[in-house]
Amino acid sequence: QVRVMESGGGLVPPGGSLRLSCAASGSISMINAMGWYRQDPGKQRELVAGITGSGRTNYAASVEGRFTISRDNAKNTIYLQMNSLKIDDTAVYYCYCNAELAAGGPGSIEVWGQGTLVTVSS
Protein backbone atom coordinates (compact mmCIF):
# COMPACT_ATOMS: atom_id res chain seq x y z
CA GLN A 1 0.00 0.00 0.00
CA VAL A 2 1.17 3.51 -0.86
CA ARG A 3 0.20 6.32 1.43
CA VAL A 4 0.96 9.98 1.87
CA MET A 5 0.98 12.00 5.06
CA GLU A 6 0.59 15.77 5.26
CA SER A 7 1.69 18.02 8.06
CA GLY A 8 2.32 21.68 8.75
CA GLY A 9 -1.12 23.19 8.81
CA GLY A 10 -2.22 25.61 11.45
CA LEU A 11 -3.50 29.06 12.25
CA VAL A 12 -1.75 32.03 10.70
CA PRO A 13 -2.69 35.70 10.33
CA PRO A 14 -3.19 37.27 6.91
CA GLY A 15 0.15 38.00 5.33
CA GLY A 16 1.84 35.22 7.25
CA SER A 17 3.55 32.07 6.08
CA LEU A 18 3.33 28.33 6.54
CA ARG A 19 5.15 25.38 5.10
CA LEU A 20 3.34 22.14 4.43
CA SER A 21 5.07 18.80 4.08
CA CYS A 22 3.94 15.57 2.49
CA ALA A 23 5.84 12.32 2.62
CA ALA A 24 5.00 9.36 0.42
CA SER A 25 5.76 5.85 1.54
CA GLY A 26 5.12 2.30 0.47
CA SER A 27 6.00 0.06 -2.42
CA ILE A 28 6.75 2.81 -4.89
CA SER A 29 8.61 2.09 -8.07
CA MET A 30 8.46 5.62 -9.44
CA ILE A 31 6.66 8.81 -8.58
CA ASN A 32 5.11 10.42 -11.63
CA ALA A 33 3.79 13.48 -9.86
CA MET A 34 2.96 14.86 -6.47
CA GLY A 35 1.06 17.91 -5.50
CA TRP A 36 -1.34 19.80 -3.33
CA TYR A 37 -5.07 20.31 -3.55
CA ARG A 38 -7.30 22.26 -1.22
CA GLN A 39 -10.96 22.27 -0.35
CA ASP A 40 -13.26 24.39 1.79
CA PRO A 41 -16.64 23.08 2.96
CA GLY A 42 -19.17 23.63 0.23
CA LYS A 43 -16.52 24.21 -2.41
CA GLN A 44 -14.95 21.96 -4.99
CA ARG A 45 -11.48 20.64 -4.48
CA GLU A 46 -8.96 22.55 -6.55
CA LEU A 47 -5.38 22.02 -7.56
CA VAL A 48 -3.02 24.36 -5.75
CA ALA A 49 0.37 23.23 -6.99
CA GLY A 50 1.88 20.19 -8.60
CA ILE A 51 5.29 18.88 -9.51
CA THR A 52 6.02 16.18 -12.03
CA GLY A 53 8.68 13.53 -11.89
CA SER A 54 10.78 15.63 -14.22
CA GLY A 55 10.53 18.63 -11.92
CA ARG A 56 8.02 20.67 -13.87
CA THR A 57 5.74 22.70 -11.63
CA ASN A 58 2.36 24.27 -12.06
CA TYR A 59 0.27 26.51 -9.86
CA ALA A 60 -3.25 27.72 -9.55
CA ALA A 61 -3.53 31.30 -10.70
CA SER A 62 -4.73 32.34 -7.26
CA VAL A 63 -1.47 31.26 -5.60
CA GLU A 64 1.03 32.03 -8.36
CA GLY A 65 3.84 34.12 -6.96
CA ARG A 66 2.91 33.40 -3.35
CA PHE A 67 3.27 29.63 -3.03
CA THR A 68 6.21 27.46 -4.00
CA ILE A 69 6.19 23.70 -4.35
CA SER A 70 9.44 21.82 -3.94
CA ARG A 71 10.59 18.27 -3.41
CA ASP A 72 13.18 16.10 -1.77
CA ASN A 73 13.41 13.03 -3.96
CA ALA A 74 15.53 11.10 -1.50
CA LYS A 75 12.72 11.33 1.05
CA ASN A 76 9.80 11.13 -1.41
CA THR A 77 8.64 14.34 0.18
CA ILE A 78 7.17 17.51 -1.22
CA TYR A 79 6.72 20.87 0.42
CA LEU A 80 4.47 23.81 -0.09
CA GLN A 81 5.86 27.11 1.05
CA MET A 82 2.91 29.43 1.50
CA ASN A 83 3.68 33.13 1.77
CA SER A 84 1.51 36.23 1.85
CA LEU A 85 -1.40 34.14 2.98
CA LYS A 86 -4.90 35.44 2.45
CA ILE A 87 -8.14 34.64 4.22
CA ASP A 88 -9.30 32.96 1.02
CA ASP A 89 -6.44 30.49 1.35
CA THR A 90 -8.21 28.93 4.32
CA ALA A 91 -8.93 25.32 3.45
CA VAL A 92 -8.03 21.74 4.11
CA TYR A 93 -4.96 21.00 2.06
CA TYR A 94 -4.57 17.51 0.65
CA CYS A 95 -1.46 15.88 -0.67
CA TYR A 96 -1.65 13.53 -3.62
CA CYS A 97 0.80 11.18 -5.18
CA ASN A 98 0.63 9.61 -8.61
CA ALA A 99 3.00 6.71 -8.64
CA GLU A 100 3.88 3.43 -10.23
CA LEU A 101 3.88 0.50 -7.87
CA ALA A 102 6.78 -1.82 -7.32
CA ALA A 103 4.22 -4.63 -7.30
CA GLY A 104 0.56 -4.96 -8.12
CA GLY A 105 0.49 -4.63 -11.88
CA PRO A 106 1.18 -2.06 -14.56
CA GLY A 107 -0.08 1.46 -14.60
CA SER A 108 -0.16 4.22 -12.05
CA ILE A 109 -2.21 4.89 -8.97
CA GLU A 110 -3.24 8.05 -7.21
CA VAL A 111 -3.14 8.25 -3.44
CA TRP A 112 -4.53 11.01 -1.27
CA GLY A 113 -3.54 12.13 2.17
CA GLN A 114 -5.88 12.80 5.03
CA GLY A 115 -5.56 16.57 4.79
CA THR A 116 -4.12 19.29 6.97
CA LEU A 117 -6.10 22.37 7.91
CA VAL A 118 -4.78 25.82 7.11
CA THR A 119 -6.70 28.65 8.73
CA VAL A 120 -5.82 32.21 7.80
CA SER A 121 -7.41 34.56 10.27
CA SER A 122 -6.55 37.55 12.38
Side-chain angles (χ1 to χ4, degrees), residues 4-13 16-23 36-37 67 77-83 85 89-95 113-120:
V4 295
M5 184 70 69
E6 311 99 325
S7 63
L11 176 65
V12 63
S17 297
L18 285 174
R19 190 180 75 157
L20 307 183
S21 300
C22 174
W36 296 95
Y37 284 72
F67 292 8
T77 299
I78 60 168
Y79 306 92
L80 186 67
Q81 180 65 47
M82 310 165 69
N83 297 327
L85 283 162
D89 294 320
T90 297
V92 177
Y93 284 71
Y94 297 91
C95 180
Q114 84 286 354
T116 185
L117 177 63
V118 173
T119 302
V120 183

Side-chain angles (χ1 to χ4, degrees), residues 19-93:
R19 190 180 75 157
L20 307 183
S21 300
C22 174
S25 62
S27 300
I28 298 171
S29 176
M30 179 180 180
I31 293 178
N32 298 317
M34 294 185 71
W36 296 95
Y37 284 72
R38 67 185 181 188
Q39 187 171 23
D40 265 335
K43 299 180 180 179
Q44 291 188 328
R45 184 174 296 187
E46 65 173 347
L47 174 68
V48 178
I51 184 166
T52 69
S54 64
R56 180 164 47 234
T57 60
N58 62 285
Y59 297 91
S62 59
V63 307
E64 184 77 47
R66 299 188 296 118
F67 292 8
T68 302
I69 188 170
S70 61
R71 67 183 179 185
D72 184 336
N73 288 333
K75 298 179 179 179
N76 285 337
T77 299
I78 60 168
Y79 306 92
L80 186 67
Q81 180 65 47
M82 310 165 69
N83 297 327
S84 301
L85 283 162
K86 304 175 180 179
I87 293 176
D88 287 347
D89 294 320
T90 297
V92 177
Y93 284 71

